[in-house]
Amino acid sequence: MSRYTFIASSDPLAEIDLSGFIKLKVKDIKTMNPQPKGPIPWEELDDEAEVLYAEKETDLGGLQIGRCENPPYDLDFYIQLPKIYWLEGNFDERWTNQLMEYTKTKIPDGQLVELWSIWFGDGFQEIAHKQLERGQIDGRDLQKLATENLCIHLR
């Protein structure tokens, strides 16, 4: 089984990437001092090729929200809202704070939003549902998304 997390909405949402990675061209990596190690020697890659780079491992795992263009089979059985986005990151304290800030600043009042965590791969899943005001959501609620079949309805 695999767990997937989503944020679904009645209207489009802002996509964000706080993953800690930046895209650099190989030619820019080659000019760095010290030069980071890659999976293959940089000289073997085209200078215009793009790679993902992170200066420190502690910078990784932040909140990512991006359009879900290739959803798991039967996702529409669970999520009925028309706009569906992947909800990704490390689900740690920093991620939790980023998501709480996102819900307060990036989602207009009155917009229907659901946070989903679903385990796929073993038939139909029972989903727990929780209704919360945006100001009521806290880290404990969000941490449940990392482990449980859950839908948090934000009002």
Side-chain angles (χ1 to χ4, degrees):
M1 288 181 40
S2 297
R3 181 185 56 83
Y4 295 98
T5 52
F6 307 94
I7 183 168
S9 177
S10 58
D11 297 300
L13 293 172
E15 296 181 54
I16 63 169
D17 184 353
L18 303 175
S19 65
F21 285 108
I22 57 171
K23 284 185 184 178
L24 291 176
K25 293 193 179 213
V26 169
K27 67 182 177 186
D28 298 324
I29 294 281
K30 289 178 179 178
T31 64
M32 296 174 85
N33 187 13
Q35 193 176 84
K37 299 247 187 258
I40 58 177
W42 299 115
E43 294 74 29
E44 293 181 19
L45 295 173
D46 182 300
D47 279 352
E48 295 301 312
E50 289 187 333
V51 295
L52 293 176
Y53 171 76
E55 190 170 317
K56 298 179 290 189
E57 190 172 339
T58 57
D59 293 339
L60 301 178
L63 178 65
Q64 292 174 268
I65 295 175
R67 281 190 32 179
C68 180
E69 301 204 14
N70 189 18
Y73 182 73
D74 277 345
L75 181 64
D76 57 347
F77 183 77
Y78 300 99
I79 301 176
Q80 303 302 308
L81 292 175
K83 306 295 181 188
I84 301 172
Y85 300 81
W86 294 107
L87 180 60
E88 300 178 288
N90 280 352
F91 291 79
D92 57 14
E93 184 178 348
R94 181 174 61 120
W95 180 91
T96 298
N97 290 335
Q98 290 169 340
L99 182 55
M100 287 191 299
E101 180 68 17
Y102 179 91
T103 62
K104 291 175 188 171
T105 62
K106 301 287 187 189
I107 301 173
D109 288 340
Q111 185 169 341
L112 297 175
V113 174
E114 299 170 342
L115 306 174
W116 287 85
S117 177
I118 308 169
W119 287 89
F120 283 91
D122 195 21
F124 173 77
Q125 299 294 307
E126 292 291 329
I127 308 291
H129 290 264
K130 189 169 188 174
Q131 304 276 340
L132 292 174
E133 297 291 330
R134 272 185 242 171
Q136 291 178 322
I137 195 165
D138 65 25
R140 288 171 294 180
D141 295 314
L142 296 177
Q143 289 304 307
K144 291 178 183 177
L145 291 171
T147 59
E148 299 178 16
N149 280 329
L150 177 63
C151 175
I152 299 172
H153 304 266
L154 296 179
R155 298 174 276 184

